[in-house]
């Protein structure tokens, strides 16, 4: 009720963007001075529901994750679909899951783990929850959960193919010319062939380095999605290093940058047909680690359940 609070409230409603942004930042500073109190949490919630800038919202989400109150759940949940805030939102759900594990409330902890995994673009926090659940005798079936949160976790993988001097990136090997699981090809010191791979992790990450070594080579991954209806959707792709993606024979994404895998790094709009849809990934490696994953989501970015759809 003091005059400063009134001025802050007026500034938050201002039509002047600079004035409003300054007020939102001031609100976050004020919340920080209130520690982990309910008053602070109310202020952070107000920031998250506002049109505050990205940095201010990230700061608020970090604080909300530290406080780890269930009151924040309905406010943070929509942010799991925000490309720029999903990781911060996922951290909140991971922290809350760990809190419930301390109470031996495994049912709630698993529900929160699923929410975290829907938005996490890094593995660390989610892996902490999985490790803790295993220590408490509550191991999660990660293969089943992976499909429920949109990851393809059953692939036909072909390789290894040569990639000396990155020439394999632009070379069309036999998987690009037609899928025949009996096909093999010999190169100097290499024999490329198909094999069935079911990644044993929550993100459906294909461990190509475990299959072929940490070498400068190329591999392919092929899967089929059986869709009950035609729909527009997105593929969320993460790879180490580059990746090319074809859907039903049409190239929908290509990037040959050298990088570590970040879950959901590239969001690719796609159109799926009713019935069988064929997905082919090409993953050239420049050396060191080598892996790839693909998540299926709706147009808003929310993961779709793939149970029974991976053919």
């Amino acid at each position: 009720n003091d005059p400063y609070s009134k001025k802050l409230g007026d500034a938050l409603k201002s039509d002047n963007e600079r004035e409003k942004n300054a007020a939102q930042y001031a609100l976050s500073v004020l919340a920080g001075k209130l520690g982990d109190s309910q008053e602070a949490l109310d202020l952070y919630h107000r920031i998250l529901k506002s049109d505050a800038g990205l940095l201010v919202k990230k700061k608020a989400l970090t604080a909300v994750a530290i406080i780890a109150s269930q009151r924040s759940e309905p406010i943070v949940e929509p942010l799991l679909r925000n490309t720029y805030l999903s990781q911060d939102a996922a951290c909140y759900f991971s922290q809350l899951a760990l809190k419930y594990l301390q109470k031996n409330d495994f049912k709630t902890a698993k529900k929160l783990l699923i929410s975290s995994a829907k938005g996490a673009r890094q593995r660390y926090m989610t892996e902490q929850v999985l490790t803790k659940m295993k220590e408490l005798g509550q191991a999660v079936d990660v293969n089943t959960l992976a499909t429920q949160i949109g990851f393809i976790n059953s692939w036909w993988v072909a390789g290894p193919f040569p990639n000396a001097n990155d020439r394999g990136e632009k070379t069309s090997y036999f998987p690009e010319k037609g899928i025949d699981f009996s096909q093999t090809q010999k190169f100097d010191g290499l024999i490329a062939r198909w094999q069935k791979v079911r990644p044993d992790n929550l993100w459906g990450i294909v461990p190509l380095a475990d299959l072929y070594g940490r070498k400068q080579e190329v591999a392919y991954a092929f899967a089929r999605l059986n869709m009950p209806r035609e729909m527009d959707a997105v593929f969320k792709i993460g790879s180490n290093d580059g990746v090319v993606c074809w859907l039903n024979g049409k190239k929908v994404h290509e990037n040959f940058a050298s990088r570590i895998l970040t879950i959901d790094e590239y969001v690719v709009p796609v159109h799926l047909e009713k019935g069988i849809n064929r997905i082919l990934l090409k993953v050239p490696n420049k050396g060191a680690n080598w892996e790839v994953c693909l998540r299926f989501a709706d147009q808003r970015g929310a993961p779709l359940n793939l149970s029974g759809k991976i053919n």
Side-chain angles (χ1 to χ4, degrees):
N1 294 322
D2 63 76
Y4 295 106
S5 296
K6 185 178 184 307
K7 286 181 178 180
L8 180 58
D10 291 341
L12 287 166
K13 300 173 186 175
S14 173
D15 292 331
N16 185 307
E17 285 299 316
R18 183 175 295 181
E19 184 177 326
K20 186 162 63 175
N21 290 340
Q24 288 164 341
Y25 177 75
L27 202 65
S28 70
V29 172
L30 175 60
K33 291 186 179 298
L34 294 172
D36 58 358
S37 67
Q38 292 302 306
E39 292 84 358
L41 193 61
D42 288 338
L43 292 177
Y44 289 129
H45 289 173
R46 181 170 179 174
I47 291 168
L48 293 177
K49 290 188 290 186
S50 75
D51 58 353
L54 182 62
L55 293 179
V56 174
K57 282 194 172 183
K58 278 182 169 289
K59 182 178 178 181
L61 269 174
T62 299
V64 165
I66 293 170
I67 296 171
S69 166
Q70 195 168 20
R71 283 182 55 212
S72 305
E73 189 173 346
I75 295 165
V76 177
E77 194 278 335
L79 302 178
L80 289 168
R81 298 185 288 275
N82 183 303
T83 302
Y84 305 104
L85 296 172
S86 60
Q87 179 60 34
D88 305 272
C91 285
Y92 158 77
F93 282 102
S94 293
Q95 292 285 15
L96 193 57
L98 290 170
K99 204 170 187 177
Y100 274 90
L101 286 177
Q102 292 175 352
K103 304 175 184 178
N104 292 325
D105 185 345
F106 302 117
K107 183 178 179 180
T108 302
K110 183 178 178 181
K111 178 177 77 73
L112 294 165
L113 167 67
I114 292 171
S115 293
S116 173
K118 285 180 178 179
R121 300 180 68 196
Q122 304 293 338
R123 292 170 250 180
Y124 172 71
M125 287 299 301
T126 311
E127 283 177 342
Q128 265 195 315
V129 180
L130 287 169
T131 300
K132 188 64 177 178
M133 292 186 79
K134 187 175 181 179
E135 290 173 356
L136 294 170
Q138 299 292 320
V140 174
D141 181 353
V142 293
N143 291 302
T144 298
L145 186 53
T147 59
Q148 291 174 349
I149 58 175
F151 286 105
I152 296 177
N153 67 342
S154 180
W155 296 90
W156 280 96
V157 176
F161 298 89
N163 190 33
N165 300 314
D166 297 328
R167 286 196 294 270
E169 294 178 352
K170 298 298 183 181
T171 302
S172 296
Y173 294 111
F174 66 72
E176 297 181 44
K177 301 171 183 178
I179 304 300
D180 176 358
F181 298 132
S182 67
Q183 192 165 3
T184 64
Q185 189 171 357
K186 292 184 179 181
F187 304 92
D188 290 339
L190 295 177
I191 302 178
R193 56 170 58 90
W194 288 101
Q195 61 179 304
K196 191 71 172 179
V197 177
R198 299 182 185 275
D200 188 24
N201 59 73
L202 183 57
W203 302 274
I205 297 170
V206 184
L208 296 168
D210 292 347
L211 296 174
Y212 305 121
R214 295 171 173 249
K215 299 175 182 177
Q216 189 170 14
E217 295 170 344
V218 170
Y220 291 84
F222 175 80
R224 289 181 287 242
L225 280 182
N226 191 355
M227 301 303 298
R229 60 182 177 85
E230 121 177 66
M231 67 179 297
D232 291 318
V234 295
F235 287 163
K236 295 185 174 184
I237 304 171
S239 67
N240 181 341
D241 287 300
V243 66
V244 186
C245 178
W246 291 268
L247 173 61
N248 295 328
K250 179 182 177 182
K251 185 185 292 184
V252 294
H253 178 73
E254 177 180 282
N255 190 313
F256 291 123
S258 177
R259 58 186 178 269
I260 62 171
L261 183 145
T262 299
I263 296 161
D264 299 348
E265 182 173 14
Y266 290 103
V267 179
V268 183
V270 295
H271 180 81
L272 286 96
E273 304 294 340
K274 180 180 178 180
I276 299 297
N277 291 265
R278 303 173 310 282
I279 301 166
L280 179 66
L281 302 178
K282 179 178 186 177
V283 192
N285 192 38
K286 297 180 184 296
N289 203 16
W290 188 12
E291 52 192 4
V292 69
C293 66
L294 186 151
R295 189 194 323 237
F296 181 50
D298 65 20
Q299 289 179 291
R300 300 175 304 139
L304 293 172
N305 192 332
L306 292 184
S307 299
K309 295 183 177 66
I310 304 172
N311 190 292

